[in-house]
Amino acid sequence: MPQNSLIQQTVCYHCGENCNAADIHIEEKEFCCQGCKMVYEIVNQSGLCEYYDIDKNPGINQKIHVRKGKHAFLDNEEICNKLIHFSDGTQKHVTFYLPQMHCSSCIWLLEQLNKLNKGVMHSTVNFLKKDVTVIYNSDLISLRQVAELLTSLGYEPHINLHDLDSSKIKKYDRSRIYKIGIAGFCFGNIMLLSFPEYFSSGDIQETQLKSFFSILNIALSLPVFFYCSSEFFMSAYAGLRKKFLNIDAPIALAIFLAFIRSLYEIGTHTGAGYLDSMSGIVFFMLVGRFFQDKTYQSLTFDRDYTSYFPISVILLKADGTEDQIPASSIKKGDRIRIHSHEIIPADGILFLGKGNIDYSFVSGESMPVEKGIGEIIYAGGKQIGGAIELEVVKEVAQSYLTQLWNDDVFTKKKNEKKVSFVHQVSRYFTYVLFLIAFLSAVHWSVVDPSKTWNAVTAILIVACPCALLLSATFTNGNMLAKLHGFDFFVKNAGVLESISEADTLVFDKTGTLSISGEERIHFVGPPPDPHQQQLIRSLAIQSIHPLSKAIAGSLPIHRPLLVKHYVEEKGKGSTALVNGEKIKMGSAEYVTGEKKIKAGEGSNVFVSINDDVLGFFVVKAGYRPGLETLVAELKQNYNLSVISGDNDSELQHLKHLFGEETEILFQQHPQDKLEYIKALQTRGHKVIMLGDGLNDAGALQQSNVGIAITDEVNNFSPGCDAILDGKQFAKLKKLLDYCGKEKNIIYGSFIISILYNIVGLSFAVQGTLSPVIAAILMPLSSITIVVYTTLISSFFANRIKT
């Protein structure tokens, strides 16, 4: 074939993708589609072309056309009221999630919406959450028009059924920040006001000044005791009610005794008290907990099917009219229309059109399922192709997909009975502490009764397990932050401990081990010449079947040839006249007429030209880079399993990767996966499940740790304990090993805290612990713990990079 028939590759000025056969341009600027050209024209007419100067080719590809009227549901007042989180007359505030946002140019353009439409008063971008908050005048622009404005720029808002319940802006709980601020202020000032007492050894000549300082210290300690430390007392009380001695019990006791003894000593003029130590305990504990409990608000770990379902659907009325209604309002017997690439929100019977349903996110099956009129289509699938009409047989809440969420595993909190080893260690620590206090009381009651009270209270104050708690909180907090740097987002510190205890890993295949759109394709038979490749590609691009799309994408780009009499048969293949030549693609039986032909592993697509069989394409799943090395590493420490909803075309390849001893199951439904995890746990295994779709949601929830693998952390992923960016998948073993270091680091810091406690107790048991020694020991031990945990956890984190 002549070389000039190949299209010269140029990139789109707007989005940077190849223009292929497109001949769309404005002056010297080339575009891959009319959509990209239209966005450029909108930006150019508004004088905002600086958008293209901040980043090269910053736009979003517009090849997928957004259906006209897609956002008509935003004219529904009920839906609008649930999405708008503030309204003051004509001024309204709404926040949209825009997963397309990816660079500084996006931020710049989205904050210039007021220049594109006068009805927009202001817009603010939160890049971490990938959302934009728009303040608009409802007299000049409607909510629907705001959504359409964003869509016209390539930032179509992602709105789902879950948003109707969660669209109101949740107020951030700042109570702990207030407590830290108050405790820190009071701690610092009490310490300063106590210096004269310490440096004069309690002999301040100005008695009025001494009394004034003491009163100020008491006044500053009151908010610390009654407000800032309240969560420790409530946690201790809750634990005792359940007959469980948690780590907050001895801390609350130390705070209480330090406060009461300080009031007694100041009131009787027998000492300066321990108000600075008490405030220091509260301050450092609150800082540690804030550091540990700091979550990634840009991510959502608790998701269900409503986060995936559309917010509205087109209802076809008996009089021939149409209406946009909330998906939650769908009733049995309703006739609804589903357009291409829309999610089916309820089980229904196909009444009109040709169903080509992609269930990959629900069942794990990578190939779409063809449906004919009269067949039932289940909720959660995505229609690929033309519009279809369904009659609803089950409402959203009763559909096949939502039955999975009726399982008990979704109604109880994971690991709700699990007790952290930190609490177990602190319990033994408390028992030892009480024993020392008791023996000291017995000793001094015989030797010198006047020292009994001082000795016992001093022991309980100085040996407070605050250093133990700081060991856990700062270790976990720093490890969570380090894991964040490797795009491994862990829900909370408890997950780290559960990961360290796991002995079994269970993998989903589609989307977890394999990557969509990264298929490995080769041709078995005499290689097609350039002309034959052009014929094959011209036929392949007519089909929406994933195998046809994959083959078309693997062939050189030519101008498509004239295609006539195109026919596609369900589950078999397609045929057409391409430039007058008969081309067939499909199964062996469809193309060759023979049912059993020994072919290659993977999916096989046979090809014939003018009834002459050329050979067949072998299409294999594309697996994540480094998978073979990763599996070899994991097998040394874990039992491995693969459980997939897909067909078994990749069985031999996976057997080669994982070994014959690994259990590999295919065509497993969501409930099958959940039951498989339960069976492993029944046999005593601690299981980590790795998946990516709704079909994995039950297994992720049932497992001891559920890790969602995603190639875009801000896109939809099922409810889980952790989210791992797919680009970091090859580092999974190192990341799991790093989580396993948590206990060792905490035990090391325990030893350091115990050494400080031994020093303090040596004074306390003698009844000679002065406030200045306590004031020095407590902050010093806390700072040492913070420095140690930060340095050692950072050291281990740096080893992940190697």
Side-chain angles (χ1 to χ4, degrees), residues 736-790:
L736 296 180
D737 287 346
Y738 181 65
C739 294
K741 302 291 184 185
E742 180 219 23
K743 282 189 177 182
N744 294 333
I745 296 174
I746 292 176
Y747 280 134
S749 56
F750 277 0
I751 294 173
I752 296 174
S753 67
I754 289 172
L755 294 176
Y756 274 103
N757 279 327
I758 290 173
V759 175
L761 285 171
S762 65
F763 289 96
V765 295
Q766 300 177 61
T768 59
L769 179 68
S770 66
V772 67
I773 293 176
I776 292 172
L777 280 177
M778 287 191 175
L780 187 60
S781 65
S782 300
I783 292 171
T784 304
I785 293 298
V786 171
V787 172
Y788 167 77
T789 56
T790 301

Short mmCIF file of all heavy atoms in Angstrom, two decimals, residues 736-790:
data_model
loop_
_atom_site.label_atom_id
_atom_site.label_comp_id
_atom_site.label_asym_id
_atom_site.label_seq_id
_atom_site.Cartn_x
_atom_site.Cartn_y
_atom_site.Cartn_z
N LEU A 736 3.21 -3.27 52.19
CA LEU A 736 2.69 -4.15 53.24
C LEU A 736 3.76 -4.40 54.31
O LEU A 736 3.44 -4.44 55.52
CB LEU A 736 2.22 -5.48 52.64
CG LEU A 736 1.05 -5.41 51.66
CD1 LEU A 736 0.70 -6.81 51.15
CD2 LEU A 736 -0.18 -4.77 52.29
N ASP A 737 5.00 -4.58 53.89
CA ASP A 737 6.09 -4.76 54.86
C ASP A 737 6.24 -3.53 55.75
O ASP A 737 6.50 -3.64 56.95
CB ASP A 737 7.41 -5.04 54.13
CG ASP A 737 7.47 -6.43 53.54
OD1 ASP A 737 6.63 -7.27 53.91
OD2 ASP A 737 8.35 -6.68 52.68
N TYR A 738 6.10 -2.36 55.14
CA TYR A 738 6.21 -1.11 55.91
C TYR A 738 5.12 -1.02 56.97
O TYR A 738 5.37 -0.65 58.12
CB TYR A 738 6.12 0.09 54.96
CG TYR A 738 6.25 1.43 55.65
CD1 TYR A 738 7.43 1.79 56.29
CD2 TYR A 738 5.20 2.33 55.66
CE1 TYR A 738 7.56 3.01 56.92
CE2 TYR A 738 5.31 3.56 56.29
CZ TYR A 738 6.50 3.90 56.92
OH TYR A 738 6.62 5.11 57.55
N CYS A 739 3.90 -1.42 56.61
CA CYS A 739 2.81 -1.44 57.59
C CYS A 739 3.13 -2.40 58.72
O CYS A 739 2.76 -2.16 59.88
CB CYS A 739 1.50 -1.85 56.91
SG CYS A 739 0.88 -0.67 55.68
N GLY A 740 3.82 -3.48 58.39
CA GLY A 740 4.17 -4.47 59.40
C GLY A 740 5.21 -3.97 60.40
O GLY A 740 5.39 -4.57 61.47
N LYS A 741 5.90 -2.86 60.07
CA LYS A 741 6.89 -2.30 60.98
C LYS A 741 6.23 -1.54 62.13
O LYS A 741 6.91 -1.17 63.10
CB LYS A 741 7.82 -1.33 60.23
CG LYS A 741 8.57 -1.93 59.05
CD LYS A 741 9.62 -2.92 59.48
CE LYS A 741 10.44 -3.42 58.28
NZ LYS A 741 11.40 -4.47 58.66
N GLU A 742 4.94 -1.28 62.03
CA GLU A 742 4.25 -0.44 63.01
C GLU A 742 4.46 -0.96 64.43
O GLU A 742 4.86 -0.20 65.34
CB GLU A 742 2.74 -0.39 62.69
CG GLU A 742 1.95 0.46 63.66
CD GLU A 742 0.60 -0.13 64.01
OE1 GLU A 742 0.43 -1.36 63.87
OE2 GLU A 742 -0.27 0.63 64.44
N LYS A 743 4.20 -2.23 64.66
CA LYS A 743 4.32 -2.78 66.01
C LYS A 743 5.74 -2.67 66.54
O LYS A 743 5.95 -2.32 67.72
CB LYS A 743 3.86 -4.24 66.03
CG LYS A 743 2.36 -4.43 66.03
CD LYS A 743 1.99 -5.89 66.26
CE LYS A 743 0.49 -6.08 66.32
NZ LYS A 743 0.11 -7.49 66.59
N ASN A 744 6.74 -2.96 65.70
CA ASN A 744 8.13 -2.91 66.15
C ASN A 744 8.53 -1.50 66.56
O ASN A 744 9.23 -1.30 67.56
CB ASN A 744 9.06 -3.42 65.05
CG ASN A 744 8.85 -4.90 64.77
OD1 ASN A 744 8.42 -5.65 65.64
ND2 ASN A 744 9.16 -5.33 63.55
N ILE A 745 8.08 -0.51 65.76
CA ILE A 745 8.40 0.88 66.09
C ILE A 745 7.74 1.28 67.41
O ILE A 745 8.37 1.92 68.27
CB ILE A 745 7.94 1.81 64.96
CG1 ILE A 745 8.72 1.52 63.67
CG2 ILE A 745 8.14 3.28 65.35
CD1 ILE A 745 8.23 2.29 62.47
N ILE A 746 6.49 0.88 67.58
CA ILE A 746 5.77 1.24 68.81
C ILE A 746 6.39 0.54 70.02
O ILE A 746 6.55 1.15 71.09
CB ILE A 746 4.27 0.89 68.67
CG1 ILE A 746 3.62 1.80 67.63
CG2 ILE A 746 3.56 1.03 70.01
CD1 ILE A 746 2.17 1.49 67.34
N TYR A 747 6.78 -0.72 69.87
CA TYR A 747 7.42 -1.42 70.98
C TYR A 747 8.75 -0.74 71.35
O TYR A 747 9.10 -0.64 72.54
CB TYR A 747 7.68 -2.88 70.62
CG TYR A 747 6.46 -3.77 70.74
CD1 TYR A 747 6.13 -4.68 69.74
CD2 TYR A 747 5.64 -3.71 71.87
CE1 TYR A 747 5.01 -5.49 69.84
CE2 TYR A 747 4.52 -4.52 71.98
CZ TYR A 747 4.20 -5.40 70.96
OH TYR A 747 3.09 -6.22 71.08
N GLY A 748 9.48 -0.27 70.34
CA GLY A 748 10.72 0.45 70.62
C GLY A 748 10.47 1.72 71.41
O GLY A 748 11.21 2.03 72.36
N SER A 749 9.44 2.45 71.03
CA SER A 749 9.11 3.68 71.76
C SER A 749 8.55 3.37 73.15
O SER A 749 8.71 4.17 74.08
CB SER A 749 8.14 4.53 70.95
OG SER A 749 6.98 3.81 70.63
N PHE A 750 7.90 2.21 73.30
CA PHE A 750 7.45 1.78 74.63
C PHE A 750 8.65 1.66 75.58
O PHE A 750 8.59 2.08 76.74
CB PHE A 750 6.75 0.43 74.54
CG PHE A 750 5.31 0.50 74.13
CD1 PHE A 750 4.70 1.72 73.88
CD2 PHE A 750 4.56 -0.66 74.00
CE1 PHE A 750 3.37 1.78 73.51
CE2 PHE A 750 3.22 -0.60 73.63
CZ PHE A 750 2.63 0.62 73.37
N ILE A 751 9.72 1.08 75.08
CA ILE A 751 10.91 0.88 75.90
C ILE A 751 11.46 2.23 76.36
O ILE A 751 11.84 2.41 77.53
CB ILE A 751 11.97 0.08 75.12
CG1 ILE A 751 11.47 -1.34 74.86
CG2 ILE A 751 13.30 0.06 75.88
CD1 ILE A 751 12.37 -2.15 73.95
N ILE A 752 11.49 3.19 75.42
CA ILE A 752 11.97 4.54 75.77
C ILE A 752 11.09 5.16 76.85
O ILE A 752 11.58 5.75 77.83
CB ILE A 752 12.02 5.44 74.53
CG1 ILE A 752 13.03 4.90 73.52
CG2 ILE A 752 12.35 6.88 74.90
CD1 ILE A 752 13.04 5.65 72.19
N SER A 753 9.77 5.03 76.68
CA SER A 753 8.85 5.63 77.66
C SER A 753 8.98 4.96 79.02
O SER A 753 8.87 5.62 80.07
CB SER A 753 7.42 5.53 77.16
OG SER A 753 6.97 4.20 77.12
N ILE A 754 9.22 3.65 79.02
CA ILE A 754 9.39 2.93 80.29
C ILE A 754 10.64 3.41 81.02
O ILE A 754 10.66 3.54 82.25
CB ILE A 754 9.43 1.41 80.04
CG1 ILE A 754 8.03 0.92 79.64
CG2 ILE A 754 9.92 0.67 81.29
CD1 ILE A 754 8.00 -0.52 79.19
N LEU A 755 11.72 3.69 80.26
CA LEU A 755 12.95 4.20 80.88
C LEU A 755 12.68 5.54 81.58
O LEU A 755 13.17 5.78 82.70
CB LEU A 755 14.05 4.36 79.82
CG LEU A 755 14.56 3.06 79.19
CD1 LEU A 755 15.58 3.36 78.09
CD2 LEU A 755 15.19 2.16 80.26
N TYR A 756 11.91 6.40 80.92
CA TYR A 756 11.55 7.68 81.56
C TYR A 756 10.69 7.43 82.80
O TYR A 756 10.84 8.11 83.83
CB TYR A 756 10.79 8.57 80.58
CG TYR A 756 11.69 9.40 79.70
CD1 TYR A 756 11.93 9.06 78.38
CD2 TYR A 756 12.30 10.56 80.20
CE1 TYR A 756 12.76 9.81 77.57
CE2 TYR A 756 13.13 11.32 79.40
CZ TYR A 756 13.36 10.95 78.09
OH TYR A 756 14.17 11.71 77.29
N ASN A 757 9.77 6.46 82.71
CA ASN A 757 8.92 6.16 83.85
C ASN A 757 9.73 5.64 85.03
O ASN A 757 9.42 5.94 86.20
CB ASN A 757 7.85 5.14 83.47
CG ASN A 757 6.68 5.78 82.74
OD1 ASN A 757 6.33 6.91 83.00
ND2 ASN A 757 6.08 5.05 81.82
N ILE A 758 10.76 4.88 84.75
CA ILE A 758 11.62 4.35 85.83
C ILE A 758 12.30 5.49 86.57
O ILE A 758 12.37 5.51 87.81
CB ILE A 758 12.66 3.37 85.26
CG1 ILE A 758 11.97 2.09 84.78
CG2 ILE A 758 13.73 3.05 86.29
CD1 ILE A 758 12.89 1.12 84.06
N VAL A 759 12.79 6.49 85.79
CA VAL A 759 13.42 7.66 86.42
C VAL A 759 12.41 8.40 87.29
O VAL A 759 12.71 8.76 88.45
CB VAL A 759 13.99 8.61 85.35
CG1 VAL A 759 14.53 9.88 85.99
CG2 VAL A 759 15.09 7.91 84.55
N GLY A 760 11.21 8.65 86.75
CA GLY A 760 10.20 9.37 87.51
C GLY A 760 9.75 8.60 88.74
O GLY A 760 9.57 9.18 89.82
N LEU A 761 9.57 7.28 88.56
CA LEU A 761 9.10 6.46 89.68
C LEU A 761 10.14 6.37 90.80
O LEU A 761 9.77 6.21 91.98
CB LEU A 761 8.76 5.06 89.17
CG LEU A 761 7.45 4.92 88.39
CD1 LEU A 761 7.35 3.54 87.76
CD2 LEU A 761 6.25 5.17 89.29
N SER A 762 11.41 6.47 90.43
CA SER A 762 12.46 6.42 91.47
C SER A 762 12.31 7.57 92.45
O SER A 762 12.67 7.45 93.63
CB SER A 762 13.85 6.44 90.83
OG SER A 762 14.07 7.68 90.18
N PHE A 763 11.81 8.72 91.96
CA PHE A 763 11.53 9.84 92.86
C PHE A 763 10.18 9.67 93.54
O PHE A 763 10.02 9.97 94.72
CB PHE A 763 11.53 11.17 92.08
CG PHE A 763 12.88 11.60 91.61
CD1 PHE A 763 13.30 11.31 90.32
CD2 PHE A 763 13.73 12.29 92.46
CE1 PHE A 763 14.55 11.71 89.88
CE2 PHE A 763 14.99 12.70 92.02
CZ PHE A 763 15.41 12.41 90.73
N ALA A 764 9.19 9.19 92.74
CA ALA A 764 7.82 9.14 93.25
C ALA A 764 7.66 8.17 94.42
O ALA A 764 6.99 8.49 95.41
CB ALA A 764 6.87 8.77 92.12
N VAL A 765 8.26 6.99 94.33
CA VAL A 765 8.07 5.99 95.39
C VAL A 765 8.72 6.45 96.70
O VAL A 765 8.36 5.96 97.78
CB VAL A 765 8.65 4.62 94.97
CG1 VAL A 765 7.88 4.04 93.81
CG2 VAL A 765 10.14 4.71 94.64
N GLN A 766 9.67 7.37 96.60
CA GLN A 766 10.31 7.90 97.81
C GLN A 766 9.54 9.08 98.39
O GLN A 766 9.90 9.60 99.46
CB GLN A 766 11.74 8.35 97.50
CG GLN A 766 12.64 7.24 97.00
CD GLN A 766 14.03 7.74 96.63
OE1 GLN A 766 14.76 8.27 97.50
NE2 GLN A 766 14.40 7.60 95.37
N GLY A 767 8.50 9.52 97.64
CA GLY A 767 7.72 10.65 98.10
C GLY A 767 8.45 11.96 97.95
O GLY A 767 8.12 12.95 98.62
N THR A 768 9.46 12.01 97.05
CA THR A 768 10.28 13.21 96.88
C THR A 768 10.14 13.83 95.49
O THR A 768 11.00 14.61 95.08
CB THR A 768 11.76 12.88 97.14
OG1 THR A 768 12.18 11.85 96.22
CG2 THR A 768 11.97 12.40 98.57
N LEU A 769 9.10 13.44 94.75
CA LEU A 769 8.94 13.98 93.39
C LEU A 769 8.46 15.43 93.48
O LEU A 769 7.36 15.71 93.94
CB LEU A 769 7.92 13.17 92.60
CG LEU A 769 7.65 13.66 91.18
CD1 LEU A 769 8.89 13.45 90.30
CD2 LEU A 769 6.46 12.94 90.57
N SER A 770 9.33 16.32 93.04
CA SER A 770 8.96 17.74 93.07
C SER A 770 8.26 18.12 91.78
O SER A 770 8.47 17.48 90.74
CB SER A 770 10.21 18.60 93.26
OG SER A 770 11.05 18.49 92.12
N PRO A 771 7.45 19.17 91.77
CA PRO A 771 6.77 19.61 90.53
C PRO A 771 7.73 19.93 89.40
O PRO A 771 7.42 19.69 88.23
CB PRO A 771 6.00 20.85 90.99
CG PRO A 771 5.76 20.64 92.44
CD PRO A 771 6.99 19.93 92.94
N VAL A 772 8.92 20.47 89.74
CA VAL A 772 9.85 20.83 88.67
C VAL A 772 10.39 19.59 87.96
O VAL A 772 10.59 19.60 86.73
CB VAL A 772 11.01 21.68 89.24
CG1 VAL A 772 11.89 20.87 90.19
CG2 VAL A 772 11.85 22.26 88.10
N ILE A 773 10.63 18.50 88.71
CA ILE A 773 11.09 17.26 88.07
C ILE A 773 10.00 16.70 87.15
O ILE A 773 10.26 16.28 86.02
CB ILE A 773 11.49 16.22 89.13
CG1 ILE A 773 12.73 16.69 89.89
CG2 ILE A 773 11.77 14.86 88.47
CD1 ILE A 773 13.15 15.78 91.03
N ALA A 774 8.75 16.71 87.63
CA ALA A 774 7.63 16.25 86.81
C ALA A 774 7.47 17.12 85.57
O ALA A 774 7.19 16.63 84.47
CB ALA A 774 6.35 16.26 87.63
N ALA A 775 7.65 18.43 85.74
CA ALA A 775 7.51 19.37 84.63
C ALA A 775 8.58 19.16 83.57
O ALA A 775 8.37 19.45 82.39
CB ALA A 775 7.55 20.80 85.14
N ILE A 776 9.76 18.67 84.00
CA ILE A 776 10.84 18.41 83.05
C ILE A 776 10.66 17.06 82.38
O ILE A 776 10.80 16.92 81.16
CB ILE A 776 12.21 18.47 83.77
CG1 ILE A 776 12.50 19.91 84.21
CG2 ILE A 776 13.32 17.96 82.85
CD1 ILE A 776 13.73 20.02 85.10
N LEU A 777 10.34 16.03 83.17
CA LEU A 777 10.27 14.67 82.64
C LEU A 777 9.16 14.49 81.61
O LEU A 777 9.37 13.86 80.56
CB LEU A 777 10.05 13.67 83.78
CG LEU A 777 11.29 13.27 84.59
CD1 LEU A 777 10.90 12.33 85.72
CD2 LEU A 777 12.32 12.62 83.68
N MET A 778 7.99 15.03 81.87
CA MET A 778 6.85 14.77 80.98
C MET A 778 7.05 15.36 79.58
O MET A 778 6.91 14.65 78.59
CB MET A 778 5.55 15.26 81.62
CG MET A 778 5.10 14.38 82.76
SD MET A 778 3.44 14.76 83.31
CE MET A 778 3.21 13.44 84.51
N PRO A 779 7.38 16.65 79.44
CA PRO A 779 7.61 17.15 78.08
C PRO A 779 8.82 16.50 77.40
O PRO A 779 8.79 16.25 76.20
CB PRO A 779 7.86 18.66 78.31
CG PRO A 779 7.27 18.95 79.64
CD PRO A 779 7.46 17.72 80.44
N LEU A 780 9.88 16.23 78.20
CA LEU A 780 11.08 15.65 77.61
C LEU A 780 10.79 14.25 77.06
O LEU A 780 11.24 13.90 75.96
CB LEU A 780 12.19 15.58 78.66
CG LEU A 780 13.57 15.13 78.15
CD1 LEU A 780 14.08 16.09 77.09
CD2 LEU A 780 14.56 15.05 79.31
N SER A 781 10.03 13.45 77.81
CA SER A 781 9.69 12.11 77.33
C SER A 781 8.83 12.18 76.09
O SER A 781 9.01 11.41 75.14
CB SER A 781 8.99 11.31 78.43
OG SER A 781 7.74 11.90 78.74
N SER A 782 7.90 13.12 76.06
CA SER A 782 7.01 13.27 74.89
C SER A 782 7.79 13.67 73.66
O SER A 782 7.60 13.12 72.57
CB SER A 782 5.92 14.31 75.18
OG SER A 782 5.13 13.92 76.29
N ILE A 783 8.71 14.63 73.82
CA ILE A 783 9.52 15.10 72.67
C ILE A 783 10.42 13.98 72.17
O ILE A 783 10.59 13.78 70.96
CB ILE A 783 10.35 16.33 73.08
CG1 ILE A 783 9.41 17.52 73.34
CG2 ILE A 783 11.36 16.69 72.00
CD1 ILE A 783 10.10 18.72 73.95
N THR A 784 10.99 13.21 73.08
CA THR A 784 11.86 12.10 72.68
C THR A 784 11.08 11.07 71.86
O THR A 784 11.58 10.58 70.84
CB THR A 784 12.46 11.42 73.93
OG1 THR A 784 13.15 12.38 74.71
CG2 THR A 784 13.42 10.30 73.52
N ILE A 785 9.87 10.76 72.32
CA ILE A 785 9.03 9.80 71.60
C ILE A 785 8.70 10.31 70.20
O ILE A 785 8.78 9.56 69.21
CB ILE A 785 7.73 9.52 72.38
CG1 ILE A 785 8.03 8.79 73.69
CG2 ILE A 785 6.74 8.72 71.53
CD1 ILE A 785 8.66 7.44 73.53
N VAL A 786 8.35 11.58 70.11
CA VAL A 786 7.99 12.16 68.80
C VAL A 786 9.18 12.10 67.85
O VAL A 786 9.04 11.71 66.68
CB VAL A 786 7.51 13.61 68.97
CG1 VAL A 786 7.34 14.28 67.61
CG2 VAL A 786 6.20 13.65 69.74
N VAL A 787 10.37 12.47 68.33
CA VAL A 787 11.57 12.47 67.48
C VAL A 787 11.91 11.04 67.04
O VAL A 787 12.20 10.78 65.86
CB VAL A 787 12.76 13.10 68.23
CG1 VAL A 787 14.05 12.92 67.43
CG2 VAL A 787 12.50 14.58 68.47
N TYR A 788 11.86 10.10 67.98
CA TYR A 788 12.20 8.71 67.67
C TYR A 788 11.25 8.13 66.63
O TYR A 788 11.69 7.55 65.62
CB TYR A 788 12.16 7.86 68.94
CG TYR A 788 12.18 6.37 68.66
CD1 TYR A 788 13.36 5.72 68.31
CD2 TYR A 788 11.00 5.62 68.74
CE1 TYR A 788 13.37 4.36 68.05
CE2 TYR A 788 11.01 4.26 68.47
CZ TYR A 788 12.19 3.63 68.12
OH TYR A 788 12.20 2.30 67.85
N THR A 789 9.94 8.25 66.87
CA THR A 789 8.97 7.64 65.94
C THR A 789 9.05 8.28 64.57
O THR A 789 8.90 7.60 63.55
CB THR A 789 7.55 7.77 66.50
OG1 THR A 789 7.24 9.15 66.76
CG2 THR A 789 7.39 6.98 67.77
N THR A 790 9.28 9.59 64.52
CA THR A 790 9.37 10.28 63.23
C THR A 790 10.58 9.81 62.44
O THR A 790 10.49 9.50 61.24
CB THR A 790 9.44 11.80 63.44
OG1 THR A 790 8.27 12.24 64.14
CG2 THR A 790 9.52 12.53 62.10
#
